[in-house]
Amino acid sequence: AFSERKIELMYRAAKAEAERNGSETVHNLEVLRKRLNVLPERESRLLDTFLAEQTTQELYDKKSAELKHERIDLQNQIKVLEEGQPAFTLEPIKQVFLQGSRATKEFLEADENKKRNIAENLLWNLSIENGKVAQIQYKSPYHILAKVPKNVSNSMLLPDRDSNPN
């Protein structure tokens, strides 16, 4: 179980990181689109020099192919950045953490029917032998929460801004 304070802290840190990454992505997209928009002018100047016989056929073909490859490369980079925008929201993740953290307390305070409902929501498989839990298998995404060490520190949960590879 995580305290609601820690969950809120992790949520805010992840949200700030997503917003920062989002603004970087917007900037990168603008730069790539500007470069893409300059290509027709470069192609036109190349054609003009070729028609004025200032450029050989061989050099024109080579530069024309380079510009074509650059266009394809820029279009691919733009597509990757546009598709890389997070299509999810952090709210459902926050709710999973909150529900997982509240489940123990709710389970201990609940009547038998409510306990059954809580167990069905969190577990795939629960077996009891001699009045004790013999085996459990958590549903996704709760299986990830179950794997977190009990003595986890905040530094393990929150992103380290100093070691960001970007």
Side-chain angles (χ1 to χ4, degrees), residues 1 4 99-110 115 118:
E4 290 192 23
Q99 185 179 7
S101 290
R102 294 174 181 159
T104 301
K105 183 179 178 188
E106 290 175 6
F107 185 84
L108 293 173
E109 295 174 353
K115 285 181 181 182
I118 292 170

Side-chain angles (χ1 to χ4, degrees), residues 35-158:
R35 287 180 54 197
L36 186 63
N37 290 336
V38 171
L39 285 181
E41 182 182 330
R42 290 176 59 198
E43 290 168 331
S44 177
R45 283 189 303 205
L46 178 64
L47 181 60
D48 290 345
T49 60
F50 177 69
L51 293 175
E53 296 180 358
Q54 296 172 341
T55 305
T56 65
Q57 177 75 42
E58 182 180 296
L59 182 60
Y60 173 79
D61 292 341
K62 179 182 172 192
K63 290 294 184 181
S64 181
E66 287 175 7
L67 290 173
K68 182 179 178 180
H69 288 349
E70 185 176 352
R71 176 183 307 282
I72 292 169
D73 186 46
L74 289 170
Q75 289 170 336
N76 287 337
Q77 288 179 38
I78 290 170
K79 184 178 177 182
V80 166
L81 283 176
E82 287 175 340
E83 290 175 356
Q85 291 291 332
F88 66 91
T89 178
L90 293 171
E91 281 297 321
I93 296 169
K94 178 183 175 183
Q95 292 307 315
V96 166
F97 273 87
L98 288 172
Q99 185 179 7
S101 290
R102 294 174 181 159
T104 301
K105 183 179 178 188
E106 290 175 6
F107 185 84
L108 293 173
E109 295 174 353
D111 62 25
E112 294 303 314
N113 287 333
K114 179 83 171 159
K115 285 181 181 182
R116 180 180 179 91
N117 288 338
I118 292 170
E120 287 176 354
N121 287 334
L122 300 176
L123 306 172
W124 284 114
N125 192 2
L126 170 66
S127 60
I128 298 175
E129 291 179 8
N130 299 325
K132 295 185 179 185
V133 175
Q135 178 185 348
I136 57 172
Q137 185 178 2
Y138 292 95
K139 288 184 178 179
S140 180
Y142 303 107
H143 70 285
I144 296 169
L145 293 176
K147 291 179 184 177
V148 175
K150 291 186 185 219
N151 297 329
V152 68
S153 67
N154 285 345
S155 63
M156 293 173 67
L157 296 173
L158 298 175

